[in-house]
Amino acid sequence: MSVDLTRLKYFSMTYVFFEDEEDIACEYEQTEQDPLVAADGLSIGFSLKNIDQAEDNACYSMVLLKNSDDEFFIKSDYFDDVDAPYPLDVETSDDDVKFTLQGEDEVMYLYGFFE
């Protein structure tokens, strides 16, 4: 199923760090600003903030990119390399789409919700 970025209206993210003793999950939600879709429909930008503002009060810019083969990538100032496009695995349902980025000792789940 192709994902129409213009239908995505809200984003949230769970980032899990796998530690020796316990896993640490950080929850993020979209800021009040609506996502912005590029004119070509191949990218969408939005900002996320940590739900626990006591831990982290920064806002992070996210850009979700889609290529002509329906492959997805993400760029963000949340990551060490801001300009690197990180490849995402994608699962869709009728209500949302889940983008997953798996690292060695961490995993990101980014959820986009349809209107």
Side-chain angles (χ1 to χ4, degrees), residues 26-73:
C26 299
E27 301 283 337
Y28 298 84
E29 64 183 4
Q30 183 175 307
T31 62
E32 291 79 28
Q33 185 177 2
D34 289 337
L36 182 61
V37 180
D40 63 8
L42 296 178
S43 67
I44 186 169
F46 52 95
S47 295
L48 297 175
K49 62 183 177 184
N50 194 318
I51 290 174
D52 183 3
Q53 292 292 310
E55 289 289 319
D56 178 8
N57 62 2
C59 286
Y60 299 98
S61 297
M62 315 292 274
V63 177
L64 190 60
L65 307 161
K66 175 173 131 175
N67 68 16
S68 59
D69 294 328
D70 263 354
E71 296 172 320
F72 285 87
F73 301 86

Side-chain angles (χ1 to χ4, degrees), residues 54-114:
E55 289 289 319
D56 178 8
N57 62 2
C59 286
Y60 299 98
S61 297
M62 315 292 274
V63 177
L64 190 60
L65 307 161
K66 175 173 131 175
N67 68 16
S68 59
D69 294 328
D70 263 354
E71 296 172 320
F72 285 87
F73 301 86
I74 192 162
K75 290 183 179 184
S76 175
D77 57 6
Y78 186 83
F79 305 120
D80 290 335
D81 189 346
V82 176
D83 295 321
Y86 294 92
L88 300 169
D89 292 326
V90 181
E91 296 176 40
T92 58
S93 73
D94 291 338
D95 299 324
D96 63 16
V97 58
K98 179 172 81 171
F99 302 96
T100 306
L101 176 61
Q102 180 76 45
E104 272 186 43
D105 54 358
E106 61 199 19
V107 64
M108 177 198 80
Y109 302 105
L110 176 67
Y111 299 92
F113 299 92
F114 297 118

Side-chain angles (χ1 to χ4, degrees), residues 6-9 95 113-115:
T6 63
R7 292 188 53 226
L8 293 172
K9 299 302 176 194
D95 299 324
F113 299 92
F114 297 118
E115 62 180 343

